[in-house]
Amino acid sequence: MIEVRGLGVSLGGRPVLREVGVTVAAGSWLAVIGPNGAGKSTLLKAMIGLLPHEGSVLVGGGEVRRMKPRERARLIAYAPQNPVLPADMTVADYAILGRTPYIPYLARESAHDREVTRSVLSRLDLTEFSERPLGHLSGGERQRVVLARALTQQAPVLLLDEPTTALDLGHQQQVLELVDRLRLDDTLTVVTTLHDLSLAGQYADTLLLLSQGHAAASGPPQNVLTKPLLTRHFDAHVQVTPDDYGRPVIHLIRPGE
Amino acid sequence: MRRTWWAVGVAVLVLLGCMTAGLLVGAAGLAPGSVLSALLDRLPFVSLDSGLLPVEQGVLFELRVPRVLLAALVGGLLAIAGAGYQGVFRNPLADPYLLGAAAGAGLTVTLVIVVVGDSGVVPVAAFVGAVGGVFLAYALGSSAGRGGGTATLVLAGVAVTSFLTAIQTFVQQLKVEELQRVYSWILGDVGGGWPQLLMIAPYALVSVMVMLAHGRLLDVLAVGDDEATSLGLRARRVRFFVLLAASLATASAVAVSGLIAFVGIVVPHVVRRLAGWSYRIVLPLSLLGGAAFLVVADLVARTVLAPAELPIGVVTAFVGAPFFVLVLRLTKRVDA
Ligand SMILES: Nc1ncnc2c1ncn2[C@@H]1O[C@H](COP(=O)(O)OP(=O)(O)OP(=O)(O)O)[C@@H](O)[C@H]1O
Ligand SMILES: [Mg+2]
């Protein structure tokens, strides 16, 4: 579904991504991991064609850069790491923005658009918030609202930049379970960046470890979440143990213990 | 949705009320009752004897009616243009003169008054100058800024404004005896009558329609260029169309009324306080509210020192500023 080849991105005259390549099969989940500043967010932005880049990004067989914006928006939904949330806008008005690619240039939202929005909000436990202004939400509520906007887009490819950072334990699980269920029900292809490596290992089929702008490792979780790789690229003291299902779980160890 | 129609309905009523007041009151001292009958007499299927003399009819239909209509049109244009600029720049401090429209018009009008000395071409000169000023700022801003960023555009507007204003001041100094005329043009006047009203009507109509049609898209733009783009919006194109329409509206208003301050920035804010953030409602209500506001300002300008007239630009600030503060206080809330 997604095929990235020889991707290079320069920002402010500095190369941020170099020769990154990755393939994501339709209906699978790729988690992009890596230390701060490794280029994870940049990779996602390049994937929806927001950044000028070298190499190629193919989604659904087409070159993203060449797609018409509306056509591309019906194919790929994107939730940024730091979304702009106008303080006065209500949750429902914000979520329905996801319908933009389906509304003709000078037309207005249809009843169907409102219905889709309502059902997404209820799926995310946000119905009671729908008339609240965005400025009056907690960090985690905001994050769910942004996810709601991406879901109303009903695109087969979902790019989520740090979708769980501000969520409490229960909501982290709930959101990722929801994404996973959508992925299975509607065969969505999901790409997330995730800082919680254990979660990344639990949900993703494939991990891509970015480090200083290049792909340091990629593959199934047990091949990427290894003590040597994590120690080298994150500069962290960790212990990796398999859980009951063989998925790697990462523990932070205090240096010297 | 229903709320929008409701609010627009209320605003239309307020505007009609203000316009009626503007028509009834004036320096000629026509009896309000007779004015009303004379106006109603013009409606189809209505026939009333107003008792007004032909001269008084002339005052009403050749002076007062076009004056009220022109005030309404100019006020509406400036306010909706201000709202449009604020949407495009995502900046509440944007006003219709931000991109050099005022400075451009100021320069060409000064040139015409000082060099040509003919007032008949002032409206055309103002229109050309306003469009030229915005064009200059836009060309400069898009060549300097990569990716069509709005910050560069605003800075280009600031640069163009100070540059053109400097030239204008210089030209003005060449012929100090014309200072008064230049100044009184700047302070504004809506007494241009039917010819000026008809002159700008087509531009006004087109620009207002274009802006009203873009309300939803300006709402999408509120989440920032990157996200709007990821939602399938051509952010630059939307911005370009709205800027074009808002600039055309501004140029039309400036052409027939001078540089009336305050309307373009305050009216959209009052509307936002009262009716919410969405441009789908801010744009139409700014149009109606700006119209009502300027009709009232003109009424005050004509009557306070009658038979002398205050410049309308002075009144807008004088009436507008306290009114604005009042609205801010009455709708007090936590700013995010
Ligand atoms: N507009 C920009 N101009 C120049 N450099 C940039 C720009 N945006 C990001 N960078 C740099 O590019 C690098 C990668 O940034 P990116 O946001 O992709 O990191 P990230 O992996 O998402 O990090 P984090 O985990 O902190 O979110 C960083 O070093 C950052 O400083
Ligand atoms: Mg990031």
Side-chain angles (χ1 to χ4, degrees):
Chain A
M1 191 68 184
I2 305 179
E3 201 177 333
V4 177
R5 269 186 261 137
L7 179 71
V9 176
S10 293
L11 292 175
R14 211 167 56 83
V16 171
L17 287 180
R18 262 163 302 168
E19 285 297 315
V20 175
V22 66
T23 311
V24 192
S28 71
W29 185 325
L30 170 77
V32 182
I33 59 170
N36 292 135
K40 305 180 292 296
S41 300
T42 307
L43 175 61
L44 260 57
K45 281 187 199 161
M47 280 180 170
I48 41 159
L50 278 182
L51 297 174
H53 56 80
E54 293 161 20
S56 69
V57 179
L58 301 175
V59 176
E63 176 81 53
V64 164
R65 260 187 304 189
R66 304 240 169 75
M67 289 178 192
K68 293 198 180 114
R70 283 157 59 83
E71 182 191 324
R72 186 186 61 210
R74 281 182 233 170
L75 184 63
I76 314 170
Y78 165 67
Q81 184 170 13
N82 297 309
V84 177
L85 297 174
D88 293 332
M89 206 182 268
T90 64
V91 169
D93 286 333
Y94 180 76
I96 207 168
L97 291 181
R99 302 303 296 168
T100 305
Y102 300 92
I103 307 171
Y105 193 72
L106 295 178
R108 55 173 61 253
E109 299 90 348
S110 65
H112 176 66
D113 295 324
R114 278 191 292 277
E115 187 45 48
V116 170
T117 308
R118 243 193 314 274
S119 80
V120 167
L121 287 178
S122 96
R123 248 171 154 172
L124 283 170
D125 266 348
L126 287 168
T127 306
E128 58 175 312
F129 293 97
S130 47
E131 291 312 311
R132 276 240 217 133
L134 297 175
H136 294 186
L137 298 178
S138 81
E141 287 157 2
R142 274 181 224 192
Q143 207 154 22
R144 276 187 289 148
V145 171
V146 175
L147 183 65
R149 197 204 68 198
L151 292 181
T152 56
Q153 228 168 311
Q154 293 189 316
V157 176
L158 205 50
L159 306 183
L160 307 174
D161 201 350
E162 310 283 354
T164 56
T165 34
L167 300 185
D168 64 46
L169 220 52
H171 278 117
Q172 281 188 23
Q173 197 167 45
Q174 204 177 316
V175 160
L176 292 177
E177 284 295 331
L178 174 75
V179 170
D180 201 42
R181 208 173 61 233
L182 288 168
R183 174 174 77 94
L184 296 174
D185 292 351
D186 310 347
T187 20
L188 300 187
T189 308
V190 179
V191 178
T192 57
T193 64
L194 279 175
H195 270 301
D196 188 320
L197 301 180
S198 303
L199 276 183
Q202 274 183 4
Y203 285 92
D205 308 299
T206 317
L207 298 193
L208 169 67
L209 171 59
L210 282 184
S211 179
Q212 296 176 1
H214 58 258
S218 67
Q222 57 274 19
N223 295 2
V224 177
L225 298 176
T226 60
K227 190 169 169 177
L229 277 173
L230 297 182
T231 310
R232 175 137 59 100
H233 295 289
F234 284 85
D235 195 18
H237 297 265
V238 296
Q239 193 174 18
V240 182
T241 54
D243 68 5
D244 296 346
Y245 306 95
R247 299 251 190 185
V249 176
I250 288 82
H251 307 275
L252 282 177
I253 308 295
R254 292 198 57 178
E257 269 179 26
Chain B
M1 208 44 238
R2 193 181 292 132
R3 240 186 98 222
T4 309
W5 288 117
W6 207 78
V8 167
V10 170
V12 167
L13 287 182
V14 169
L15 174 58
L16 287 178
C18 294
M19 288 175 72
T20 310
L23 289 169
L24 293 184
V25 182
L30 310 179
S34 312
V35 171
L36 265 187
S37 352
L39 289 170
L40 292 176
D41 186 41
R42 290 287 168 114
L43 292 179
F45 313 120
V46 180
S47 176
L48 284 172
D49 182 18
S50 61
L52 287 184
L53 301 171
V55 171
E56 294 174 323
Q57 292 257 4
V59 168
L60 181 61
F61 289 106
E62 293 307 317
L63 294 178
R64 230 182 253 176
V65 170
R67 181 164 186 145
V68 167
L69 289 178
L70 194 60
L73 188 59
V74 165
L77 287 175
L78 288 175
I80 196 175
Y85 273 30
Q86 288 164 16
V88 164
F89 292 107
R90 284 192 284 269
N91 183 339
L93 291 180
D95 85 347
Y97 304 146
L98 184 74
L99 288 191
L107 175 59
T108 48
V109 167
T110 307
L111 278 173
V112 162
I113 291 176
V114 168
V115 181
V116 186
D118 173 12
S119 313
V121 291
V122 161
V124 176
F127 187 85
V128 171
V131 170
V134 173
F135 180 79
L136 206 61
Y138 195 83
L140 205 67
S142 10
S143 69
R146 285 175 307 133
T150 51
T152 333
L153 205 50
V154 174
L155 292 177
V158 170
V160 166
T161 297
S162 20
F163 184 69
L164 296 182
T165 308
I167 304 181
Q168 188 251 340
T169 314
F170 175 73
V171 174
Q172 192 177 290
Q173 291 304 318
L174 293 179
K175 218 168 176 188
V176 188
E177 61 274 21
E178 298 287 12
L179 203 64
Q180 165 80 37
R181 275 176 75 198
V182 172
Y183 213 63
S184 78
W185 177 81
I186 288 176
L187 283 176
D189 170 35
V190 288
W194 289 111
Q196 299 207 349
L197 192 62
L198 295 177
M199 181 179 90
I200 63 163
Y203 303 106
L205 189 70
V206 170
S207 58
V208 164
M209 296 312 281
V210 170
M211 276 189 277
L212 290 179
H214 280 79
R216 180 181 67 85
L217 300 169
L218 283 178
D219 286 350
V220 179
L221 218 49
V223 296
D225 272 21
D226 274 4
E227 285 173 67
T229 306
S230 83
L231 288 169
L233 198 74
R234 292 180 198 267
R236 288 187 71 165
R237 187 163 80 177
V238 170
R239 262 211 310 264
F240 178 77
F241 280 136
V242 178
L243 270 185
L244 193 68
S247 304
L248 191 63
T250 308
S252 310
V254 167
V256 297
S257 70
L259 303 179
I260 297 175
F262 220 71
V263 183
I265 190 160
V266 163
V267 172
H269 280 290
V270 172
V271 167
R272 238 176 242 126
R273 287 276 165 160
L274 300 175
W277 57 274
S278 169
Y279 281 97
R280 291 188 221 194
I281 184 126
V282 170
L283 290 170
L285 286 193
S286 295
L287 178 73
L288 295 166
F293 178 69
L294 212 61
V295 167
V296 171
D298 180 52
L299 179 63
V300 173
R302 292 187 275 136
T303 49
V304 165
L305 293 181
E309 275 184 24
L310 282 172
I312 190 168
V314 172
V315 178
T316 52
F318 194 76
V319 180
F323 177 63
F324 188 36
V325 172
L326 189 72
V327 172
L328 288 184
R329 286 192 62 95
L330 289 180
T331 59
K332 211 181 272 180
R333 62 173 177 199
V334 188
D335 278 308

